[in-house]
Amino acid sequence: MAKAMLIDTTKCLFCNACSVECKQQNKVPLGKNIFLTQMMIREIGKFPKVKQFFIKRACNHCTEAACVDVCPTHALFHHKDGYVVLDQNRCNGCGYCSQFCPFQIPQLEIFDAFSGAAKSYKCTFCADRVAQGYETYCAAACPFGAITFGDREKLIVQGQRRVAELKNRGVAEARLYGEKELGGLHVLYILEQKPRYYGLPDNPQYPVIPKVLDVVKILGYAALGVTVVGLGVNWIIARRNIRAEESIEKKEEKPHE
Ligand code: SF4
Ligand code: SF4
Ligand code: SF4
């Protein structure tokens, strides 16, 4: 069953517990401007009539995920429960995910300035922890109940109920964001205003992906194929060598006639 997180921005107090817990538990490099989730403040109006909005900025785990489609090494892929996993061991640091994400989420960390070698970082949906039946670290850390983890369908109903409640209290622009956008996000937001005031695109669009990237992807498949064939050949040669050594050992064990 599809999983998701529901972020109720009306309950967030910008304490940053989610962001700190995420960074600590997911061993994100310290001392660098790399985050899997980051709190942002947006303001509208002019002093003294200023309104601030708080938003947790992270991967939205899109159903129509451009990052998955452009990644040439298949480091990004959908989990069966809908969210988008990043296997850093397969990431070659090309940066296409970052370039084509409609929310500009993945961050690249260049860890070797000489060669330009880099790795991509983005929210992992705490996949290992979720697989064990727990909620995400950020949801567990939020002291104000602003992040709820659970079944996507149930969270949509919960979000719609909360939006109706806000509208009844006079918040005319209240809305649920993420239910339909990009085929459905696996991070849903309760907003009090138009998405743009939170730094979210009002109507996020799947990007135009240049055809040349199809070729890059095919080359990626080819490279994967060559690797698999190479491993197979290695295995056959290794088996042959082991057998040859075993037969020499057996001969040596035989008593001399
Ligand atoms: S928000 Fe960006 S990085 Fe996350 S799944 Fe969507 S396209 Fe990929
Ligand atoms: S789901 Fe996990 S990786 Fe993603 S923002 Fe929350 S704590 Fe960080
Ligand atoms: S932990 Fe909760 S209240 Fe604190 S910043 Fe994160 S979402 Fe907001």
Side-chain angles (χ1 to χ4, degrees), residues 59-62 65-67 84 101-103 106 122:
C59 171
N60 289 316
H61 299 276
C62 319
C67 62
V84 175
C101 169
F103 302 97
K122 74 159 203 78

Side-chain angles (χ1 to χ4, degrees), residues 15-30 34-39 56 123-124 126 129 134-143 147:
C15 69
N16 267 294
C18 52
S19 163
V20 171
E21 181 74 351
C22 170
K23 195 151 185 163
Q24 195 168 346
Q25 297 290 354
N26 289 302
K27 301 184 176 50
V28 181
L30 297 173
I34 302 272
F35 294 89
L36 306 192
T37 194
Q38 193 173 15
M39 288 306 304
K56 177 179 169 305
C123 163
T124 62
C126 297
R129 185 175 150 90
Y134 296 105
E135 60 186 339
T136 53
Y137 283 115
C138 54
C142 179
I147 310 171

Side-chain angles (χ1 to χ4, degrees), residues 8-196:
D8 188 342
T9 62
T10 68
K11 292 184 179 169
C12 174
L13 296 187
F14 204 79
C15 69
N16 267 294
C18 52
S19 163
V20 171
E21 181 74 351
C22 170
K23 195 151 185 163
Q24 195 168 346
Q25 297 290 354
N26 289 302
K27 301 184 176 50
V28 181
L30 297 173
K32 296 181 178 178
N33 194 25
I34 302 272
F35 294 89
L36 306 192
T37 194
Q38 193 173 15
M39 288 306 304
M40 311 294 284
I41 300 184
R42 304 276 163 168
E43 284 181 356
I44 54 169
K46 280 198 179 138
F47 184 80
K49 288 192 176 169
V50 179
K51 171 97 178 133
Q52 284 190 327
F53 300 105
F54 304 145
I55 184 107
K56 177 179 169 305
R57 182 177 149 80
C59 171
N60 289 316
H61 299 276
C62 319
T63 299
E64 292 162 10
C67 62
V68 170
D69 296 340
V70 296
C71 179
T73 61
H74 316 286
L76 285 150
F77 53 93
H78 279 107
H79 185 274
K80 67 175 173 42
D81 289 340
Y83 49 88
V84 175
V85 182
L86 167 62
D87 178 354
Q88 274 196 331
N89 294 325
R90 287 198 232 161
C91 172
N92 68 4
C94 67
Y96 292 145
C97 53
S98 176
Q99 193 180 337
F100 289 97
C101 169
F103 302 97
Q104 291 104 42
I105 293 295
Q107 286 180 288
L108 276 194
E109 188 214 354
I110 298 175
F111 55 86
D112 183 343
F114 183 69
S115 66
K119 288 275 177 214
S120 180
Y121 283 84
K122 74 159 203 78
C123 163
T124 62
F125 215 76
C126 297
D128 293 348
R129 185 175 150 90
V130 167
Q132 291 171 34
Y134 296 105
E135 60 186 339
T136 53
Y137 283 115
C138 54
C142 179
F144 302 105
I147 310 171
T148 311
F149 169 86
D151 294 337
R152 188 171 184 275
E153 290 308 312
K154 288 185 187 160
L155 291 180
I156 288 173
V157 174
Q158 188 178 325
Q160 286 167 340
R161 222 180 281 141
R162 175 76 176 139
V163 167
E165 196 182 303
L166 289 167
K167 281 187 183 284
N168 280 341
R169 281 168 32 193
V171 187
E173 292 284 357
R175 68 197 63 207
L176 181 65
Y177 184 87
E179 185 184 347
K180 299 266 180 341
E181 285 77 2
L182 293 168
L185 309 180
H186 291 77
V187 180
L188 305 155
Y189 299 85
I190 293 163
L191 307 178
E192 288 181 274
Q193 257 299 346
K194 292 187 175 73
R196 71 185 83 141

